[in-house]
Amino acid sequence: MYATQALTDLVPLAAELDKNKVTPGVLGFIVFAALAVGVWLLMKSMNRHMGRVDFEEAPDPDAVAEAPVAAGSAQGK
């Protein structure tokens, strides 16, 4: 019952708004700018951390055991 009553009270207020004049305003710009700066800082930090990574992949033990013999080597002839 309370949700229905709240909706009936808000419907007349929504009808008064001019859809052509509704804009995000200064607060919307500030929020968007803060999100953009936050994403930029996160990307900068990620690039710095990825630059510090020293990763060398260990050879696969199965691939080493089944390594093919080179074409120019002697094969027991």
Side-chain angles (χ1 to χ4, degrees):
M1 292 292 281
Y2 294 112
T4 307
Q5 185 178 6
L7 288 176
T8 56
D9 291 341
L10 292 176
V11 168
L13 293 175
E16 295 175 8
L17 293 176
D18 184 9
K19 292 183 181 181
N20 296 325
K21 292 184 180 180
V22 176
T23 62
V26 176
L27 179 62
F29 174 75
I30 291 171
V31 169
F32 182 77
L35 287 172
V37 169
V39 168
W40 181 73
L41 289 172
L42 284 172
M43 290 178 60
K44 188 173 178 181
S45 174
M46 181 191 68
N47 282 334
R48 190 176 323 123
H49 281 85
M50 292 300 288
R52 293 180 184 167
V53 173
D54 185 24
F55 178 74
E56 292 182 17
E57 187 173 346
D60 188 13
D62 295 333
V64 173
E66 299 172 2
V69 178
S73 65
Q75 297 179 4
K77 289 185 179 181

